[in-house]
């Protein structure tokens, strides 16, 4: 009897509890929206999902790739986006100073054919803001454009030289010495095979539309230029490095594009490990008669793996000496590490470009492919000795990160820049003739007179270079004389007027102190409009729009524009 009573009691409790639970659930459903609205301000972020299993280490993937088996690349949990935190990094450089010819008559520097600064500055101006001063490398703005310099007569001397001396458009009493080099071009059917490894950043920071999606579109353009003699491999890095495509003939476009289309962003950035694997794949298919090159596409946010810039620099230099060059394509903003990208490209004997739009990808990887892939001269150095009897002061416009010591010019072990097929290189000096208004007081006791045979010379130009595959440099020399002088910049060649306009634009963006008071973007635009030429691709018309955008951005309050300095 007692047992039955207990069973009945338990059954009644169960029925009661069930009813209460049902009622509670009904009330929760009814009041849930009200509770959420009331507590919305206090609810913290949900806990992140547990991390996936650790990815295979990069060295394991390297062995698998070299052995011919390519496993899927590793992905880790997505990394937070840069958002409103601007972590772009630029090398802090001071503008080239004024030199007195009586004290320092010789100027020596390495050529620079990179164009990354131009398109990166364009990105910021199109956003309605001025770039930080250290993001502006004036020589890269000038060398972004093609110039109508005469072609060399033969390939033994792979580039021609041309010189024009003209009055300065931004300073009365000063003159510009415009030096132009023009490399020979190659016939497409005669070009050497390409052995490329594409090293693509697929970390979490690359998830924005102007990063990995644009990288994939850009690489597709490159693939369309390849043929059966070329080979391409693809390596990605995100948390750990992995090969997604073993070396593949260039005419197997469907296979290459399928590997590209399968990429997605997520994880931290193991850039150093990716470099090791990319070089290993390039070495696997290395041929002396081919162009062996690693092309890295990234925002430069290396934060895992080899993240010491000096260690990375040494690694790239060692690989350069084996015949494998490194080119860098920058993408995106907010965390763009321009300083590291420049270091890698310069030490890897490659080019540095910044791709902000699909049109820029077309320019770099299709229209200018020969210039950016096929080197015709290595370690190109320029040295100018000014005549103290004719020139009191000089300064080199741009090339601040490419300056060399005087003794480096004749030292073939000192690395310098490369010229690609069809590349044009421009350098501009501003000089003060003897008797003109100088920045420095003249020396009292160290005046020298030029020898009668050189009295008519303004300066003497020397250029050293190496032919590909050779270790001994060759020398080109020529005097700069009155025959190179033009009395009015309006009568100067089109190339001189355009280069001078772009040089003025760069100096205004950098707020250089050597421009006369009142010189502004209107003066830049006026000179540029007189030198637009045929403008086949519309690059010069776009420059005029950028100069107008810079003028508008300069009128904004300081808080809305970038501050000076190497890091923003």
């Amino acid at each position: 009897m007692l047992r039955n009573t207990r069973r009945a009691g338990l059954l009644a409790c169960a029925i009661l509890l069930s009813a209460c639970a049902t009622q509670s659930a009904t009330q929760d459903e009814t009041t849930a929206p009200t509770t959420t609205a009331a507590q919305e301000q206090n609810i913290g972020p949900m806990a992140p999902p547990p991390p996936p299993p650790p990815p295979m280490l990069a060295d394991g993937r390297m062995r698998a790739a070299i052995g011919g088996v390519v496993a899927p690349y590793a992905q880790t949990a997505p990394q937070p986006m840069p958002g409103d935190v601007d972590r772009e990094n630029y090398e802090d450089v001071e503008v080239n100073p004024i030199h007195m010819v009586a004290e320092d008559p010789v100027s020596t520097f390495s050529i620079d054919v990179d164009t990354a600064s131009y398109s990166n500055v364009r990105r910021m101006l199109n956003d309605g803001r001025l770039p930080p001063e250290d993001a502006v490398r004036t020589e890269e703005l000038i060398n972004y454009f093609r110039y109508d310099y005469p072609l060399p007569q033969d390939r033994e001397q792979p580039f021609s030289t041309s010189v024009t001396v003209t009055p300065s458009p931004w300073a009365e009493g000063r003159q510009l010495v415009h030096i132009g080099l023009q490399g020979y071009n190659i016939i497409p059917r005669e070009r050497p095979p390409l052995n490329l490894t594409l090293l693509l950043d697929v970390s979490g920071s690359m998830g924005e539309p102007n990063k990995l999606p644009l990288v994939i579109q850009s690489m597709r353009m490159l693939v369309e230029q390849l043929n059966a003699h070329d080979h391409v491999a693809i390596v990605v890095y995100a948390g750990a490095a992995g090969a997604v495509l073993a070396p593949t003939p260039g005419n197997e476009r469907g296979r290459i594009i399928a590997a590209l289309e399968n990429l997605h962003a997520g994880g931290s950035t193991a850039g150093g490990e990716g470099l090791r694997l990319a070089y290993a794949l390039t070495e696997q298919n290395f041929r002396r008669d081919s162009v062996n090159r690693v092309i890295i596409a990234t925002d430069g946010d290396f934060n895992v793996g080899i993240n010491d810039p000096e260690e990375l620099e040494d690694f790239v230099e060692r690989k350069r000496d084996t015949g494998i060059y490194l080119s860098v394509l920058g993408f995106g903003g907010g965390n763009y590490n321009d300083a590291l990208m420049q270091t890698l490209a310069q030490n890897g004997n490659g080019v540095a470009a910044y791709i902000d739009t699909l049109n820029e990808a077309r320019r770099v990887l299709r229209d200018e492919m020969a210039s950016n892939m096929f080197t015709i001269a290595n370690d190109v150095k320029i040295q100018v000795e000014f005549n103290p009897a004719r020139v009191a002061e000089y300064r080199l416009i741009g090339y601040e990160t490419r300056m060399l010591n005087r003794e480096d010019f004749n030292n073939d072990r000192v690395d310098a820049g490369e010229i690609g097929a069809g590349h044009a290189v421009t350098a501009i000096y501003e000089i003060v003739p003897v008797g003109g208004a100088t920045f420095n007081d003249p020396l009292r006791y160290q005046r020298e007179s030029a020898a009668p045979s050189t009295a008519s010379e303004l300066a003497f130009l020397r250029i050293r270079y190496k032919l590909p595959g050779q270790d001994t440099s060759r020398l080109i020399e020529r005097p700069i004389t009155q025959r190179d002088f033009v009395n009015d910049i309006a009568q100067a060649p089109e190339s001189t007027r355009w280069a001078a306009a772009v040089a003025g634009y760069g100096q205004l963006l950098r707020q250089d102190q050597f421009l006369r008071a009142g010189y502004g973007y209107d003066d830049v635009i006026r000179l540029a409009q007189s030198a637009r030429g045929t403008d086949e691709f519309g690059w010069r018309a776009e420059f005029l729009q950028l100069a107008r955008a810079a003028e508008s951005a300069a009128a904004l309050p300081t808080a809305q524009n970038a501050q000076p300095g190497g890091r923003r």
Side-chain angles (χ1 to χ4, degrees):
M1 178 69 178
L2 181 59
R3 183 178 300 173
N4 294 335
T5 303
R6 287 177 179 172
R7 288 177 179 174
L10 291 171
L11 180 60
C13 288
I15 295 172
L16 180 61
L17 289 172
S18 176
C20 290
T22 303
Q23 182 179 5
S24 176
T26 305
Q27 289 175 349
D28 288 345
E29 292 175 3
T30 306
T31 60
T34 305
T35 302
T36 301
Q39 298 179 354
E40 187 176 10
Q41 300 296 327
N42 299 322
I43 295 177
M46 295 180 64
M56 183 183 295
L57 294 177
D59 57 352
R61 289 195 176 277
M62 188 181 300
R63 288 192 296 270
I66 294 175
V69 178
V70 179
Y73 66 93
Q75 288 285 6
T76 60
Q79 192 179 35
M81 295 295 106
D84 295 330
V85 179
D86 197 338
R87 297 187 289 113
E88 296 191 12
N89 187 27
Y90 302 94
E91 183 179 355
D92 188 7
V93 295
E94 296 294 329
V95 67
N96 282 330
I98 296 286
H99 295 271
M100 296 182 65
V101 177
E103 292 181 343
D104 188 13
V106 180
S107 171
T108 309
F109 65 98
S110 162
I111 61 100
D112 179 8
V113 296
D114 295 342
T115 60
S117 180
Y118 183 91
S119 45
N120 189 32
V121 166
R122 175 178 61 201
R123 184 232 332 165
M124 299 181 208
L125 290 176
N126 285 335
D127 287 342
R129 58 193 174 96
L130 289 176
E133 293 173 9
D134 290 326
V136 181
R137 291 182 290 274
T138 305
E139 77 279 5
E140 294 189 19
L141 307 187
I142 297 171
N143 287 326
Y144 183 88
F145 299 94
R146 294 180 176 178
Y147 294 92
D148 191 23
Y149 300 140
L151 291 170
Q153 296 181 353
D154 59 69
R155 297 188 177 187
E156 287 301 304
Q157 184 174 308
F159 48 84
S160 65
T161 61
S162 58
V163 178
T164 301
V165 183
T166 183
S168 170
W170 54 74
E172 186 176 354
R174 292 183 239 164
Q175 298 171 352
L176 301 184
V177 179
H178 169 226
I179 302 169
L181 310 183
Q182 178 62 57
Y184 72 80
N185 216 331
I186 61 174
I187 301 173
R189 67 175 179 271
E190 295 180 357
R191 73 167 178 82
L194 290 168
N195 173 30
L196 305 177
T197 297
L198 309 181
L199 176 56
L200 310 181
D201 184 351
V202 295
S203 61
S205 66
M206 292 290 289
E208 300 173 34
N210 64 342
K211 294 187 177 182
L212 184 57
L214 183 56
V215 168
I216 294 172
Q217 291 178 297
S218 302
M219 294 303 107
R220 289 190 62 153
M221 288 188 181
L222 174 60
V223 171
E224 291 171 358
Q225 313 303 311
L226 304 181
N227 58 43
H229 301 289
D230 304 318
H231 284 81
V232 61
I234 301 176
V235 173
V236 297
Y237 57 97
V244 297
L245 183 71
T248 302
N251 61 337
E252 297 184 18
R253 295 190 181 94
R255 183 180 171 193
I256 301 170
I257 291 174
L260 289 170
E261 296 292 348
N262 197 39
L263 302 180
H264 58 280
S268 58
T269 312
E273 300 304 324
L275 276 175
R276 285 195 177 100
L277 180 53
Y279 277 111
L281 286 176
T282 309
E283 290 166 353
Q284 177 184 339
N285 205 49
F286 183 89
R287 291 176 54 187
R288 283 289 173 190
D289 62 346
S290 297
V291 172
N292 303 283
R293 190 180 295 265
V294 173
I295 301 175
I296 180 171
T298 180
D299 56 15
D301 190 17
F302 284 41
N303 50 33
V304 180
I306 306 177
N307 54 10
D308 180 355
E310 292 186 3
E311 188 178 351
L312 276 171
E313 180 179 335
D314 292 342
F315 177 74
V316 170
E317 283 183 356
R318 291 193 300 270
K319 295 299 182 181
R320 175 194 71 201
D321 294 338
T322 69
I324 301 176
Y325 292 177
L326 173 69
S327 291
V328 176
L329 305 180
F331 290 81
N335 62 335
Y336 179 58
N337 193 342
D338 178 83
L340 179 58
M341 297 290 89
Q342 289 294 312
T343 298
L344 292 178
Q346 289 181 21
N347 289 279
N349 275 15
V351 297
Y354 179 85
I355 295 179
D356 56 333
T357 64
L358 200 56
N359 281 337
E360 183 64 16
R362 184 177 295 108
R363 191 190 78 87
V364 173
L365 298 173
R366 192 182 71 180
D367 300 337
E368 302 280 294
M369 178 188 173
S371 299
N372 294 322
M373 292 291 177
F374 307 109
T375 301
I376 61 172
N378 289 323
D379 295 338
V380 183
K381 307 169 189 175
I382 295 179
Q383 187 172 80
V384 179
E385 179 184 357
F386 290 95
N387 183 354
R390 299 289 305 277
V391 181
E393 292 176 335
Y394 70 89
R395 69 181 179 100
L396 177 61
I397 298 175
Y399 293 94
E400 284 83 3
T401 64
R402 302 290 185 134
M403 301 307 298
L404 298 174
N405 297 323
R406 179 176 176 177
E407 62 270 19
D408 293 338
F409 183 75
N410 291 325
N411 187 348
D412 285 347
R413 298 187 63 184
V414 175
D415 183 58
E418 281 63 47
I419 291 182
H423 254 147
V425 181
T426 300
I428 298 176
Y429 284 94
E430 184 178 53
I431 64 173
V432 179
V434 168
T438 60
F439 287 90
N440 299 287
D441 293 330
L443 297 175
R444 182 178 180 87
Y445 300 109
Q446 299 185 19
R447 295 180 182 176
E448 298 179 3
S449 58
S453 60
T454 62
S456 64
E457 295 179 5
L458 197 70
F460 197 72
L461 171 64
R462 300 179 180 93
I463 303 171
R464 280 203 177 275
Y465 68 95
K466 298 174 187 173
L467 292 176
Q470 297 187 5
D471 296 325
T472 303
S473 66
R474 303 186 181 196
L475 179 65
I476 298 174
E477 296 179 309
R478 62 153 289 183
I480 300 174
T481 68
Q482 195 66 28
R483 290 180 298 177
D484 300 308
F485 190 79
V486 177
N487 290 323
D488 187 346
I489 194 169
Q491 274 72 55
E494 176 190 294
S495 57
T496 299
R497 285 178 281 133
W498 184 263
V502 181
Y505 164 78
Q507 292 174 97
L508 285 170
L509 289 173
R510 285 192 57 90
Q511 301 183 48
D512 288 356
Q513 67 270 34
F514 302 117
L515 305 176
R516 64 170 167 78
Y519 182 82
Y521 291 104
D522 285 340
D523 299 288
V524 168
I525 293 169
R526 190 177 305 110
L527 182 58
Q529 283 178 328
S530 73
R532 284 181 59 175
T534 56
D535 197 18
E536 178 183 359
F537 298 101
W539 300 342
R540 297 192 177 192
E542 180 192 58
F543 170 80
L544 294 171
Q545 297 304 317
L546 291 177
R548 294 186 179 98
E551 184 175 33
S552 299
L556 294 174
T558 303
Q560 298 182 38
N561 275 313
Q563 299 298 309
R567 183 182 289 274
R568 291 171 36 223

